Amino acid sequence: MKIFLDRQSAKPLYLQIRDRISSLIKSGALQSGDRLPSIRSLAQSLQVNKLTIIEAYTAQYKKMVCAYTQAHTTTNFLCSLLHKLDCNRFQ
């Protein structure tokens, strides 16, 4: 998954990451059941703090684009397609 960050932008890095994940889902590049990269690996590849990735994934979850499950000792995020979510029941 390619994510490019504009470090000069006024938009926070976590929102840039969240928006890129959203666009990958909308375009079909990420499908239902696909796993997002682990927090540690994405943080290393983007050269950001792990907390930035946690914020991005949390923001993504709050947008109801991703559902999370607990697997072993780490949290894995499983992407769901936007049209399959009933966002109204979470408001």
Side-chain angles (χ1 to χ4, degrees):
M1 172 169 36
K2 290 285 185 190
I3 296 178
F4 301 99
L5 300 176
D6 179 359
R7 295 180 189 276
Q8 304 302 318
S9 174
K11 187 180 221 178
L13 294 175
Y14 83 95
L15 291 178
Q16 292 181 47
I17 296 165
R18 181 206 63 189
D19 291 348
R20 178 63 179 145
I21 292 169
S22 290
S23 68
L24 290 170
I25 292 169
K26 289 177 187 174
S27 72
L30 281 175
Q31 305 251 335
S32 181
D34 288 349
R35 285 187 168 184
L36 295 177
S38 71
I39 292 166
R40 180 177 291 147
S41 68
L42 189 56
Q44 288 174 344
S45 70
L46 296 177
Q47 297 180 336
V48 297
N49 190 294
K50 288 186 292 186
L51 293 175
T52 302
I53 304 303
I54 291 169
E55 279 192 64
Y57 282 179
T58 301
Q60 188 69 9
Y61 173 73
K62 287 181 179 177
K63 280 183 63 176
M64 304 316 303
V65 176
C66 288
Y68 68 94
T69 60
Q70 198 69 14
H72 305 288
T73 59
T74 61
T75 301
N76 294 305
F77 288 79
L78 304 176
C79 293
S80 298
L81 296 175
L82 286 171
H83 69 294
K84 290 189 177 183
L85 292 173
D86 180 8
C87 296
N88 293 330
R89 67 180 186 166
F90 295 103
Q91 292 179 351

